[in-house]
Amino acid sequence: MKGILHAEMEVEIPFHDVDSMGITWHGNYLRYFELVRCKLLDKIGYGYRAMQDSGFSWPIVDVQIKYVQSSTFEQKVLVKAALVEWENRLKINYQVLDAQTGKRITKGYTIQAAVDMQTQELCFVTPEVFLQKIAHLLPENAQGME
């Protein structure tokens, strides 16, 4: 997956996430996206508590999921996330893969926009606090970082 920041985690599909046929209910993939998104943002020290402390909330304003094949009870899946856009909004791409075979199960993305918590106004540019958190990851700042 392309992107400037990556995270992944393994999830074993629990019983409460499947329907009567043992297939993962489609809405649960959003929870898996959320779990890995938290891990991704924690890598740069800007998890949800840090967002709140900085005066911004970042609600999801768009989500897309494509279901390629099913996952089932007790199946181990690898959930991956990559930050691919950060100017004016955050776009994070996701993949859910079978942990054993690497076959794609689901893919998608979320888009989040910054909202100033004091004014409740949508920010049309990414707040400086976030840009500072990712500055060391940006290609123009990568020279000499090794």
Side-chain angles (χ1 to χ4, degrees), residues 7 9 36 80 86 96 102 140:
M9 62 189 304
V36 76
K80 296 183 174 191
W86 52 90
V96 179
E140 62 267 18

Side-chain angles (χ1 to χ4, degrees), residues 123-141:
C123 301
F124 292 103
V125 294
T126 299
E128 187 63 31
V129 65
F130 185 80
L131 296 175
Q132 290 172 1
K133 297 285 186 184
I134 63 166
H136 68 285
L137 301 171
L138 300 177
E140 62 267 18
N141 297 329

Side-chain angles (χ1 to χ4, degrees), residues 33-94:
F33 288 7
E34 175 74 21
L35 290 169
V36 76
R37 181 172 56 250
C38 287
K39 188 171 183 173
L40 180 94
L41 294 170
D42 285 345
K43 286 178 99 171
I44 57 169
Y46 201 63
Y48 288 112
R49 295 282 184 213
M51 286 178 185
Q52 187 176 23
D53 291 346
S54 74
F56 297 96
S57 63
W58 291 80
I60 302 278
V61 296
D62 191 12
V63 65
Q64 188 272 333
I65 301 177
K66 179 172 176 105
Y67 303 99
V68 180
Q69 72 179 60
S70 300
S71 61
T72 58
F73 173 54
E74 293 184 324
Q75 182 177 2
K76 290 183 179 158
V77 297
L78 189 61
V79 185
K80 296 183 174 191
L83 177 64
V84 295
E85 290 181 28
W86 52 90
E87 295 175 351
N88 308 321
R89 64 186 192 170
L90 300 184
K91 182 177 182 186
I92 300 173
N93 287 344
Y94 305 90

